[in-house]
Amino acid sequence: MGTLILAKIAMASNYNVHILRYWEVCEDFSDYFHFKEKMIERILLLNPKIVSFYSRCTDYHICVDISNELKSKNHYCPVKVD
């Protein structure tokens, strides 16, 4: 299930939904570890009940990396990678 479809279903069930785009979080992508930490920090600040990622093939490994880090920092939040 894609992220936008998941968001629509969640909104229809009265959940507060936020779609976070990477360019909203960090402007400098030259330092991957800085970017990853900024993304994780921003996601955790939103105190999510669920996190879903959507990516193209070239970025899939980044979503997996971020999701694994999120899981290690927040065991109560399911993470889905499409």
Side-chain angles (χ1 to χ4, degrees):
M1 180 180 315
T3 301
L4 293 177
I5 294 170
L6 178 61
K8 186 171 182 158
I9 292 169
M11 287 189 311
S13 299
N14 295 321
Y15 282 93
N16 186 12
V17 174
H18 183 86
I19 297 176
L20 181 64
R21 293 166 177 90
Y22 68 88
W23 59 84
E24 297 172 342
V25 175
C26 187
E27 294 179 10
D28 180 15
F29 304 109
S30 62
D31 180 352
Y32 172 70
F33 296 104
H34 175 73
F35 164 74
K36 181 173 87 168
E37 287 304 312
K38 286 288 191 188
M39 284 296 290
I40 292 167
E41 178 182 298
R42 183 70 165 279
I43 291 168
L44 292 176
L45 279 174
L46 294 169
N47 197 23
K49 295 195 185 313
I50 186 171
V51 176
S52 175
F53 290 94
Y54 172 82
S55 74
R56 299 180 189 266
C57 296
T58 57
D59 301 328
Y60 184 77
H61 66 287
I62 296 170
C63 291
V64 170
D65 189 29
I66 292 172
S67 69
N68 286 332
E69 189 78 22
L70 279 171
K71 287 179 187 180
S72 73
K73 292 183 179 209
N74 185 353
H75 301 285
Y76 302 105
C77 178
V79 178
K80 181 181 185 323
V81 180
D82 285 333

